[in-house]
Amino acid sequence: MNALAATNRNFRLAARLLGLDSKLEKSLLIPFREIKVECTIPQDDGTLATFVGFRVQHDNARGPMKGGIRYHPEIVEHDEVNALAQLMTWKTAVANIPYGGAKGGIGCDPGELSTSELERLTRVFTQKIHDLIGIHTDVPAPDMGTGPQTMAWILDEYSKFHGYSPAVVTGKPTDLGGSLGRDAATGRGVVFATEALLNDHGKAIPGQKFVIQGFGNVGSWAARLIHEKGGKIVAVSDVTGAIKNTNGIDIPNCDILIPAALGGIINRENANDIKAKFIIEAANHPTDPEADEILSKKGVVILPDIYANSGGVTVSYFEWVQNIQGFLWDEKKVNNELKTYMTKAFKDVPEP
Ligand SMILES: NC(=O)C1=CN([C@@H]2O[C@H](COP(=O)(O)OP(=O)(O)OC[C@H]3O[C@@H](n4cnc5c(N)ncnc54)[C@H](O)[C@@H]3O)[C@@H](O)[C@H]2O)C=CC1
Ligand SMILES: O=C(O)CCC(=O)C(=O)O
């Protein structure tokens, strides 16, 4: 199912459960603003290349819109960004941080571009959107294919128009006002979320067998922290391939599956093969609604993305607060606060 159709479907189900007014439901399904820009850059060989950049600002009822910037060849198209922006609105609400939701990106393969081409592309994109983002309007952050360096380029380009404004992006290098702990935050939050869920089922991480799909920022931090806590990582994969441990355990044969790459990868084609008892959605919308139904019938417990991966945006919020206050937190405080937010959100979600 198309990402936007799936996200809208889940929202409509939730709206029905909440008894939400149908006019409010309609207003929440339509994004506040959709931005699509042409980004042309000179490549290193002197020829021109044109890319399409997006920023969808979904909702700002609770505060400035917040969400990542993704660089990916297939993913960045209108409906996908729209779905991801909507998910950010629900995620910031679940995390109970004072933000709305947004998401953006550029349709490109960052692995095919040199560092200087990526810098030029990021700067041109920022020139096109700088009037529509800002500390109190819309605050970008990293997502797939981007990272602290991308945020540094956005900050530098934005500051040429508006003066030095570190809080305009989060997930920056720490030298430029980035928060300690932001790099690991999404993975760390996934681990706190997993602990909360397992605790609810009378279990704990030590001894559980994990499979992680995606070994980038989120997947690799989650793997490292799970390993430190005594969990057994039996297989990991990234876009180039997969490895499993020498005990020869089948990839689907694990206790806990953590998708940490693309959306829609758990679908009706493979849902029946999944043997895991728990799925922790570290990626955004990894489970298609049809798979959701199949897995629920099988009794698989799915911890949804808008809670499970909210550690990243939560520490982004801490970074924004630190920038505005001009006061730096040590890493221990960041991680402790993250745990407090993740634990509270886990308890809040099932409350009527
Ligand atoms: N970076 C962050 O703070 C946050 C990221 N997320 C979500 O987490 C997911 C991963 O994001 P990042 O780790 O930041 O991205 P990343 O770009 O650092 O890493 C992505 C990983 O996915 C792998 N991958 C791509 N296609 C794959 C495939 N078909 N099969 C297996 N692996 C594949 C890549 O090889 C790479 O290891 C995305 O869905 C993103 O939206 C969610 C919340 C915050
Ligand atoms: O840190 C942020 O502001 C946004 C992270 C993000 O894009 C996400 O949670 O999907």
Side-chain angles (χ1 to χ4, degrees), residues 68 70-72 74 80 84 88 91 103 110 141-147 182-187 190 212-221 236-242 259-263 265 281-286 305 308-313 316:
R70 179 179 286 201
Y71 288 180
H72 196 278
E74 293 148 30
E80 176 77 21
L84 291 166
M88 287 308 305
K91 191 183 301 184
K103 200 82 165 201
D143 191 77
M144 278 183 89
T146 61
R182 173 60 184 90
D183 198 34
T186 310
V190 164
I212 301 181
Q213 190 216 27
F215 212 66
N217 171 277
V218 180
S220 64
W221 271 109
V236 294
S237 71
D238 75 0
V239 72
T240 59
L262 297 172
I265 52 97
E281 293 190 336
N284 283 305
H285 72 81
D305 49 5
N309 71 30
S310 65
V313 74
S316 276

Coordinates of all heavy atoms in Angstrom, one line a residue, residues 68 70-72 74 80 84 88 91 103 110 141-147 182-187 190 212-221 236-242 259-263 265 281-286 305 308-313 316, ligand 1:
G68 N 12.9 15.4 9.9 CA 14.1 15.2 9.3 C 14.1 15.5 7.8 O 13.1 15.8 7.2
R70 N 15.6 13.9 4.3 CA 16.1 12.6 3.8 C 16.7 12.7 2.4 O 16.1 13.4 1.5 CB 14.9 11.6 3.7 CG 15.2 10.2 3.2 CD 13.9 9.4 3.3 NE 13.6 9.0 4.6 CZ 12.8 7.9 4.9 NH1 12.3 7.2 3.9 NH2 12.5 7.6 6.1
Y71 N 17.8 12.1 2.2 CA 18.4 12.0 0.8 C 18.3 10.6 0.3 O 19.0 9.7 0.9 CB 19.9 12.5 0.8 CG 20.1 14.0 1.0 CD1 21.4 14.5 0.9 CD2 19.0 14.8 1.1 CE1 21.6 15.8 1.1 CE2 19.3 16.2 1.3 CZ 20.6 16.7 1.3 OH 20.8 18.0 1.5
H72 N 17.5 10.3 -0.6 CA 17.3 8.9 -1.1 C 16.7 8.9 -2.5 O 15.8 9.7 -2.8 CB 16.4 8.2 -0.2 CG 16.4 6.7 -0.3 ND1 15.7 6.0 -1.3 CD2 17.1 5.7 0.3 CE1 16.0 4.7 -1.2 NE2 16.8 4.5 -0.2
E74 N 14.8 6.7 -4.3 CA 13.4 6.2 -4.6 C 12.4 6.9 -3.6 O 11.2 7.0 -4.0 CB 13.4 4.7 -4.4 CG 14.2 3.9 -5.4 CD 14.7 2.6 -4.8 OE1 14.1 2.1 -3.8 OE2 15.8 2.2 -5.2
E80 N 5.3 10.0 -0.2 CA 6.1 9.5 0.9 C 6.4 10.6 1.9 O 6.3 10.4 3.1 CB 7.4 8.9 0.2 CG 8.4 8.4 1.3 CD 8.1 7.0 1.9 OE1 7.3 6.3 1.3 OE2 8.6 6.7 2.9
L84 N 5.4 10.9 5.8 CA 6.4 11.0 6.9 C 6.2 12.3 7.7 O 6.4 12.3 8.9 CB 7.8 11.0 6.3 CG 8.3 9.7 5.7 CD1 9.5 9.8 4.8 CD2 8.6 8.7 6.8
M88 N 5.3 12.7 11.8 CA 6.0 13.5 12.7 C 5.1 14.3 13.7 O 5.3 14.5 14.8 CB 6.9 14.5 12.0 CG 8.2 14.0 11.4 SD 9.3 13.0 12.4 CE 9.6 14.0 13.8
K91 N 4.0 11.8 16.1 CA 5.2 11.4 17.0 C 5.5 12.4 18.0 O 5.7 12.1 19.2 CB 6.4 11.2 16.1 CG 7.6 10.5 16.7 CD 8.8 10.4 15.8 CE 8.5 9.6 14.5 NZ 9.6 9.4 13.7
K103 N 8.5 17.0 7.2 CA 9.6 16.2 6.7 C 10.0 16.7 5.4 O 9.2 17.3 4.7 CB 9.0 14.7 6.6 CG 10.1 13.7 6.5 CD 10.6 13.3 7.9 CE 11.4 12.1 8.0 NZ 11.4 11.5 9.3
P110 N 22.9 9.8 -2.3 CA 24.0 10.4 -1.7 C 25.3 9.7 -1.9 O 26.4 10.3 -2.0 CB 23.7 10.5 -0.2 CG 22.5 9.7 0.0 CD 21.8 9.4 -1.3
A141 N 16.1 18.3 10.7 CA 17.1 17.4 11.4 C 17.5 16.3 10.4 O 17.0 16.3 9.3 CB 16.4 16.8 12.6
P142 N 18.5 15.5 10.8 CA 18.9 14.4 9.9 C 17.8 13.3 9.8 O 17.0 13.1 10.7 CB 20.1 13.8 10.6 CG 20.5 14.8 11.6 CD 19.3 15.5 12.0
D143 N 17.9 12.6 8.7 CA 17.1 11.3 8.5 C 17.9 10.5 7.6 O 19.2 10.7 7.5 CB 15.7 11.7 7.9 CG 14.7 10.5 7.9 OD1 14.2 10.2 8.9 OD2 14.5 9.9 6.8
M144 N 17.3 9.5 6.9 CA 18.1 8.6 6.0 C 19.0 9.4 5.0 O 18.5 10.3 4.3 CB 17.2 7.7 5.3 CG 16.8 6.5 6.1 SD 15.8 5.4 5.1 CE 17.1 4.3 4.4
G145 N 20.2 9.0 4.9 CA 21.1 9.6 3.9 C 21.7 11.0 4.3 O 22.4 11.6 3.5
T146 N 21.3 11.5 5.4 CA 21.8 12.8 5.9 C 22.4 12.7 7.3 O 22.2 11.6 7.9 CB 20.8 13.9 5.9 OG1 19.7 13.6 6.8 CG2 20.2 14.2 4.5
G147 N 23.1 13.7 7.8 CA 23.7 13.6 9.1 C 24.2 14.9 9.6 O 23.8 16.0 9.0
R182 N 22.8 13.3 20.7 CA 21.8 13.2 19.6 C 22.1 12.1 18.6 O 21.1 11.5 18.1 CB 21.7 14.6 18.9 CG 20.8 14.6 17.7 CD 19.3 14.3 18.0 NE 18.4 14.1 16.8 CZ 18.2 13.0 16.1 NH1 18.9 11.9 16.4 NH2 17.4 13.0 15.1
D183 N 23.4 11.9 18.3 CA 23.7 10.9 17.3 C 23.2 9.6 17.7 O 22.6 8.9 16.8 CB 25.3 10.9 17.3 CG 25.7 10.2 16.0 OD1 25.1 10.4 15.0 OD2 26.8 9.5 16.0
A184 N 23.3 9.2 19.0 CA 22.8 7.9 19.4 C 21.3 7.9 19.8 O 20.8 6.8 20.1 CB 23.6 7.4 20.6
A185 N 20.7 9.0 19.8 CA 19.4 9.2 20.5 C 18.3 8.3 20.0 O 17.5 7.7 20.7 CB 18.9 10.6 20.5
T186 N 18.2 8.1 18.6 CA 17.1 7.3 18.1 C 17.3 5.9 18.5 O 16.4 5.2 19.0 CB 16.9 7.5 16.6 OG1 16.9 8.9 16.3 CG2 15.7 6.9 16.1
G187 N 18.5 5.4 18.3 CA 18.8 4.0 18.7 C 18.7 3.8 20.2 O 18.1 2.8 20.6
V190 N 15.1 3.6 21.0 CA 14.5 2.3 20.6 C 14.8 1.3 21.7 O 13.9 0.5 22.0 CB 15.2 1.9 19.2 CG1 15.0 0.4 19.0 CG2 14.7 2.7 18.1
I212 N 18.2 -7.1 13.2 CA 18.1 -5.7 12.9 C 18.3 -5.5 11.4 O 19.3 -5.9 10.9 CB 19.1 -4.9 13.7 CG1 18.9 -5.1 15.2 CG2 19.0 -3.4 13.4 CD1 19.8 -4.4 16.1
Q213 N 17.3 -4.9 10.8 CA 17.4 -4.6 9.4 C 17.7 -3.1 9.2 O 17.0 -2.2 9.7 CB 16.1 -4.8 8.6 CG 16.3 -4.7 7.1 CD 15.1 -4.1 6.4 OE1 14.3 -3.3 6.9 NE2 15.0 -4.5 5.1
G214 N 18.9 -2.8 8.6 CA 19.4 -1.4 8.5 C 20.5 -1.2 9.5 O 20.2 -1.4 10.7
F215 N 21.6 -0.8 9.0 CA 22.7 -0.6 10.0 C 23.4 0.7 9.8 O 24.6 0.9 9.8 CB 23.8 -1.7 9.7 CG 24.5 -2.1 11.0 CD1 23.8 -2.7 12.0 CD2 25.9 -1.9 11.1 CE1 24.5 -3.1 13.2 CE2 26.5 -2.2 12.3 CZ 25.8 -2.8 13.3
G216 N 22.5 1.7 9.7 CA 22.9 3.1 9.6 C 22.9 3.7 11.0 O 23.2 3.0 12.0
N217 N 22.5 5.0 11.1 CA 22.5 5.7 12.4 C 21.7 4.9 13.4 O 22.2 4.5 14.5 CB 22.0 7.1 12.2 CG 21.8 7.8 13.5 OD1 20.8 7.7 14.2 ND2 22.8 8.5 14.0
V218 N 20.4 4.6 13.1 CA 19.5 4.1 14.1 C 19.8 2.6 14.3 O 20.0 2.2 15.5 CB 18.1 4.2 13.6 CG1 17.1 3.6 14.6 CG2 17.7 5.7 13.3
G219 N 20.0 1.8 13.3 CA 20.2 0.4 13.5 C 21.5 0.1 14.2 O 21.6 -0.8 15.1
S220 N 22.6 0.8 13.8 CA 23.9 0.5 14.4 C 23.9 0.9 15.9 O 24.5 0.2 16.7 CB 25.0 1.1 13.6 OG 25.0 2.5 13.7
W221 N 23.3 2.0 16.2 CA 23.3 2.4 17.7 C 22.4 1.5 18.5 O 22.8 1.1 19.6 CB 22.8 3.9 17.8 CG 24.0 4.8 17.8 CD1 24.2 5.7 16.8 CD2 25.0 5.0 18.7 NE1 25.4 6.4 17.0 CE2 25.9 6.0 18.2 CE3 25.3 4.4 20.0 CZ2 27.0 6.4 19.0 CZ3 26.4 4.8 20.7 CH2 27.3 5.8 20.2
V236 N 22.1 -9.0 11.2 CA 21.9 -7.6 10.8 C 22.0 -7.5 9.3 O 22.7 -8.4 8.6 CB 23.0 -6.6 11.4 CG1 22.8 -6.5 12.9 CG2 24.4 -7.0 11.0
S237 N 21.4 -6.5 8.7 CA 21.5 -6.3 7.3 C 21.5 -4.9 6.9 O 21.1 -4.0 7.7 CB 20.3 -7.0 6.6 OG 19.1 -6.2 6.8
D238 N 22.1 -4.6 5.8 CA 22.0 -3.2 5.2 C 21.7 -3.3 3.7 O 21.4 -4.5 3.3 CB 23.2 -2.3 5.6 CG 24.4 -2.7 4.7 OD1 24.4 -3.6 3.9 OD2 25.5 -2.0 4.9
V239 N 21.8 -2.3 3.0 CA 21.4 -2.3 1.6 C 22.3 -3.2 0.8 O 21.9 -3.7 -0.3 CB 21.3 -0.8 1.0 CG1 22.7 -0.2 0.8 CG2 20.5 -0.8 -0.2
T240 N 23.5 -3.5 1.3 CA 24.4 -4.3 0.5 C 24.3 -5.8 0.8 O 24.8 -6.6 0.0 CB 25.9 -3.8 0.7 OG1 26.1 -4.0 2.1 CG2 26.1 -2.4 0.3
G241 N 23.7 -6.1 1.9 CA 23.6 -7.6 2.2 C 23.3 -7.8 3.6 O 22.9 -6.8 4.4
A242 N 23.4 -9.0 4.1 CA 23.0 -9.4 5.5 C 24.1 -10.3 6.0 O 24.7 -11.1 5.3 CB 21.7 -10.1 5.5
P259 N 13.1 -3.5 12.4 CA 13.3 -2.8 11.1 C 13.8 -1.4 11.3 O 13.2 -0.6 12.0 CB 12.0 -2.9 10.4 CG 11.0 -3.0 11.5 CD 11.7 -3.6 12.7
A260 N 15.0 -1.1 10.8 CA 15.6 0.2 10.9 C 16.1 0.8 9.6 O 17.2 1.4 9.5 CB 16.8 0.2 12.0
A261 N 15.3 0.6 8.6 CA 15.7 1.1 7.2 C 14.5 1.8 6.6 O 14.1 2.8 7.0 CB 16.3 0.0 6.4
L262 N 14.0 1.1 5.6 CA 12.9 1.8 4.8 C 11.5 1.5 5.2 O 11.3 0.6 6.1 CB 13.0 1.2 3.3 CG 14.3 1.6 2.6 CD1 14.4 0.9 1.3 CD2 14.4 3.1 2.4
G263 N 10.6 2.2 4.7 CA 9.1 2.0 5.0 C 8.6 0.8 4.1 O 9.2 0.5 3.1
I265 N 8.6 -2.4 4.4 CA 9.3 -3.6 4.1 C 8.6 -4.8 4.7 O 8.9 -6.0 4.3 CB 10.8 -3.5 4.6 CG1 10.9 -3.1 6.0 CG2 11.6 -2.6 3.7 CD1 11.0 -4.2 7.0
E281 N 9.4 -0.9 15.8 CA 9.5 -0.1 14.5 C 10.4 1.0 14.7 O 10.0 2.2 15.0 CB 8.1 0.4 14.1 CG 7.1 -0.7 13.7 CD 5.9 -0.2 13.1 OE1 5.5 0.9 13.3 OE2 5.3 -1.0 12.3
A282 N 11.7 0.8 14.5 CA 12.7 1.8 14.5 C 12.7 2.7 13.3 O 12.9 3.9 13.3 CB 14.1 1.2 14.7
A283 N 12.3 2.1 12.2 CA 12.2 2.8 10.9 C 10.8 3.5 11.0 O 9.9 3.2 11.8 CB 12.2 1.9 9.7
N284 N 10.6 4.4 10.0 CA 9.2 5.0 9.9 C 8.4 4.1 9.0 O 8.8 3.7 7.9 CB 9.3 6.4 9.3 CG 9.8 7.4 10.4 OD1 9.2 7.5 11.5 ND2 10.9 8.1 10.2
H285 N 7.2 3.9 9.4 CA 6.2 3.0 8.7 C 6.8 1.8 8.0 O 6.5 1.5 6.9 CB 5.3 3.9 7.8 CG 5.9 4.4 6.5 ND1 6.1 3.6 5.4 CD2 6.4 5.6 6.2 CE1 6.6 4.3 4.5 NE2 6.8 5.5 4.9
P286 N 7.5 0.9 8.8 CA 8.0 -0.3 8.1 C 7.0 -1.3 7.9 O 7.2 -2.2 7.1 CB 9.1 -0.8 9.2 CG 8.6 -0.3 10.5 CD 7.9 1.0 10.2
D305 N 6.1 2.9 15.2 CA 7.2 3.9 14.9 C 7.0 5.2 15.7 O 8.0 5.8 16.2 CB 7.2 4.2 13.4 CG 5.9 4.5 12.8 OD1 4.9 4.6 13.5 OD2 5.8 4.6 11.5
A308 N 8.2 4.2 19.1 CA 9.5 3.5 19.2 C 10.7 4.3 18.7 O 11.8 4.2 19.3 CB 9.4 2.2 18.4
N309 N 10.5 5.1 17.7 CA 11.7 5.9 17.2 C 11.7 7.3 17.6 O 12.4 8.2 17.0 CB 11.9 5.7 15.7 CG 10.9 6.4 14.8 OD1 10.3 7.4 15.2 ND2 10.6 5.8 13.7
S310 N 10.8 7.7 18.6 CA 10.7 9.1 19.0 C 11.9 9.6 19.8 O 11.9 10.8 20.1 CB 9.4 9.3 19.8 OG 9.4 8.6 21.0
G311 N 12.8 8.7 20.1 CA 14.0 9.2 20.9 C 14.8 10.3 20.1 O 15.4 11.2 20.7
G312 N 14.8 10.2 18.8 CA 15.6 11.1 18.0 C 15.0 12.5 18.1 O 15.8 13.5 18.4
V313 N 13.7 12.6 17.8 CA 13.1 13.9 17.9 C 13.1 14.5 19.3 O 13.2 15.7 19.5 CB 11.8 14.0 17.2 CG1 10.7 13.3 18.0 CG2 11.4 15.4 16.8
S316 N 16.4 15.9 19.8 CA 16.4 17.1 19.0 C 15.7 18.3 19.7 O 16.2 19.4 19.7 CB 15.6 16.9 17.6 OG 16.4 16.3 16.7
Ligands
LIG1 N1 18.2 9.3 12.1 C1 17.2 9.5 13.0 O1 17.4 10.3 14.0 C2 15.9 8.9 12.8 C3 15.6 8.0 11.8 N2 14.4 7.4 11.7 C4 14.1 6.4 10.7 O2 15.0 5.3 10.9 C5 15.3 4.7 9.6 C6 16.8 4.6 9.3 O3 17.3 6.0 9.4 P1 18.9 6.2 9.6 O4 19.5 5.1 10.4 O5 18.9 7.6 10.0 O6 19.4 6.2 8.1 P2 20.8 5.9 7.6 O7 20.9 6.5 6.2 O8 21.9 6.3 8.6 O9 20.9 4.3 7.5 C7 20.0 3.6 6.7 C8 20.4 2.1 6.7 O10 19.4 1.4 6.0 C9 20.1 0.5 5.1 N3 19.1 0.1 4.0 C10 18.6 0.9 3.0 N4 17.9 0.1 2.2 C11 17.9 -1.2 2.8 C12 17.3 -2.4 2.4 N5 16.5 -2.5 1.3 N6 17.5 -3.5 3.2 C13 18.3 -3.4 4.3 N7 18.9 -2.3 4.7 C14 18.7 -1.2 3.9 C15 21.3 1.3 4.6 O11 22.3 0.4 4.1 C16 21.7 1.9 6.0 O12 22.4 0.9 6.7 C17 14.5 5.5 8.6 O13 13.2 4.9 8.4 C18 14.4 6.8 9.3 O14 13.3 7.6 8.8 C19 13.4 7.6 12.6 C20 13.6 8.5 13.6 C21 14.8 9.3 13.7

